[in-house]
Amino acid sequence: MNNLETLIPKKNPVPTLSFVIPCYNEEESLPALLDALSKMSDHLQTTGRIAGPAEIMLVDDGSKDRTWAMIETARQTHGATGLRLSRNQGHQAALLAGLLNADADVTISMDADLQDDPTVVEQMLDRYREGAQIVFGVRGARDTDTPFKRITARGYYSVLQKMGVDIIPDHADFRLMSAKTIQALDSFKERNLFLRGLVRQIGFQSAIVTYDRAERVAGESKYPLRKMLALAIEGITSFSIRPLRMIAILGFLVAGLSLCYAIYSLAVWSLGAVVPGWTSVVLPIYILGGVHMIALGVIGEYIGKIYMETKARPRFIVDEITRPVAGAGRKSADSAAPLGIAAE
Ligand code: UDP
Ligand code: MG
């Protein structure tokens, strides 16, 4: 024994685990997902990484297909917990609902389509045992992405970093979080949710594991370009006011240029030259008109955010929550009331 030993972070005990999976129209992926998670749960238990079978928390985000019916069946067959939102409220809201209602020492959130490699879960739990409270799953290669997604993703992370947003590039929402970090996350009451940014704000000891993202096991992406853009803008405007500052800087630049132009105009006038003037008058009007509109748009985006935040609407609304039937899973009967509007 030497003094160094006391500096090594105290290890966390073997935890209970909850997988939190937001599902939107995932009837095609669910069978493979449930099989993979059950196998993983058994494996983690036999290797002594978790205490008891893992909770499988499936959040139905207002699916229009048979997703909820399948989740109810999975309650019997796989001992799954089902949480049904009252309508489609978006991936981030569904994820938060699942995290806040999970009942375990640690949660691991992942997509329903098995793109997030469940075998990495082992490493996540090992990092937790070593002391990390949050473990980020970071994608190694982007081979399974289209070139468009690869380029836009790279551009996006670099813009975010330039805007001063603290974010881990190529980390989406495949993440281990301990119960106390979820409690801390819950103390952020904002409606505009960008969880991967919020999680960086709460601090705590963290670690990273890398994995290669697989193809979707079945079905299609539930993130069309429109939703992706909305999330991208959310990421910037929820964590940085640099765009507003950039407008001010742009204003100074334009004012400086205008001053130069004013001096030039006076010089030409004093030399007696006649300026025809049409182009030099019309062009700045159009250009400045455009610049003004962009500036107003950016300011408007922030005002819109203030508007939504002041309404303080619930971040998600739970329709029902079904705990596993006796013998099918770790828990034995319906328990605590869901955290939904009441929690806000
Ligand atoms: N999802 C959701 N609500 C939505 C959109 C998506 O709960 O409105 C879920 C979806 O079922 C999946 C996860 O969020 O489990 C990520 O979506 P997807 O895999 O389609 O996104 P991609 O991996 O293509 O970016
Ligand atoms: Mg996916």
Side-chain angles (χ1 to χ4, degrees), residues 14-322:
V14 177
T16 53
L17 170 67
S18 177
F19 288 109
V20 176
I21 324 279
C23 308
Y24 178 54
N25 296 341
E26 295 287 4
E27 61 179 11
E28 287 164 283
S29 325
L30 276 179
L33 174 80
L34 285 164
D35 275 357
L37 291 186
S38 301
K39 279 197 194 111
M40 185 43 69
S41 168
D42 292 345
H43 172 72
L44 293 172
Q45 243 183 299
T46 48
T47 52
R49 285 188 170 88
I50 57 172
E55 177 184 59
I56 302 176
M57 159 75 79
L58 302 167
V59 183
D60 176 21
D61 186 17
S63 299
K64 294 177 181 66
D65 64 1
R66 291 176 47 250
T67 298
W68 180 248
M70 291 175 78
I71 291 176
E72 293 221 290
T73 313
R75 181 189 180 198
Q76 324 264 346
T77 54
H78 293 77
T81 301
L83 193 152
R84 187 183 206 183
L85 297 186
S86 63
R87 63 172 172 84
N88 180 241
Q89 293 168 40
H91 172 222
Q92 298 286 291
L95 190 52
L96 184 68
L99 291 175
L100 294 185
N101 283 287
D103 182 15
D105 300 330
V106 299
T107 59
I108 291 183
S109 50
M110 56 167 76
D111 284 6
D113 52 18
L114 288 178
Q115 283 195 286
D116 304 324
D117 183 359
T119 57
V120 178
V121 165
E122 277 178 36
Q123 294 173 39
M124 288 183 154
L125 286 163
D126 291 345
R127 295 296 93 76
Y128 171 76
R129 287 300 305 279
E130 287 158 16
Q133 296 289 327
I134 303 177
V135 185
F136 299 97
V138 171
R139 320 176 41 161
R142 279 190 170 264
D143 305 340
T144 53
D145 278 353
T146 59
F148 175 74
K149 190 147 184 178
R150 217 174 303 155
I151 293 166
T152 47
R154 194 162 305 153
Y156 178 58
Y157 285 115
S158 95
V159 168
L160 271 183
Q161 280 175 333
K162 286 200 180 80
M163 293 289 167
V165 183
D166 182 8
I167 192 129
I168 296 182
D170 292 327
H171 163 68
D173 285 298
F174 184 26
R175 184 168 53 231
L176 176 146
M177 293 182 80
S178 70
K180 78 173 158 193
T181 65
I182 294 175
Q183 211 179 344
L185 182 69
D186 190 30
S187 65
F188 288 73
K189 293 296 182 195
E190 53 206 86
R191 321 286 114 186
N192 299 288
L193 286 176
F194 187 65
L195 291 176
R196 64 195 79 165
L198 270 186
V199 168
R200 292 293 288 163
Q201 300 284 312
I202 63 178
F204 293 100
Q205 187 177 333
S206 65
I208 284 178
V209 296
T210 49
Y211 70 104
D212 289 336
R213 206 159 198 241
E215 301 270 12
R216 214 172 209 288
V217 69
E220 287 167 2
S221 171
K222 310 298 181 293
Y223 255 101
L225 190 61
R226 175 178 53 81
K227 278 192 186 174
M228 229 155 64
L229 274 178
L231 186 70
I233 293 172
E234 191 75 59
I236 298 173
T237 52
S238 282
F239 290 92
S240 170
I241 56 161
R242 222 167 265 183
L244 292 174
R245 234 167 257 157
M246 282 162 65
I247 294 176
I249 293 168
L250 188 68
F252 279 113
L253 272 177
V254 172
L257 284 176
S258 308
L259 192 67
C260 298
Y261 196 62
I263 293 167
Y264 164 78
S265 310
L266 281 175
V268 172
W269 173 75
S270 68
L271 291 173
V274 180
V275 183
W278 188 79
T279 315
S280 58
V281 169
V282 161
L283 263 187
I285 290 176
Y286 285 150
I287 293 171
L288 284 181
V291 170
H292 281 156
M293 296 259 232
I294 294 170
L296 274 179
V298 173
I299 297 168
E301 185 70 32
Y302 283 90
I303 294 176
K305 284 209 123 84
I306 300 169
Y307 173 67
M308 293 314 289
E309 293 293 342
T310 52
K311 280 173 180 284
R313 287 179 175 166
R315 293 173 293 180
F316 55 84
I317 298 175
V318 175
D319 179 344
E320 60 179 307
I321 184 161
T322 55

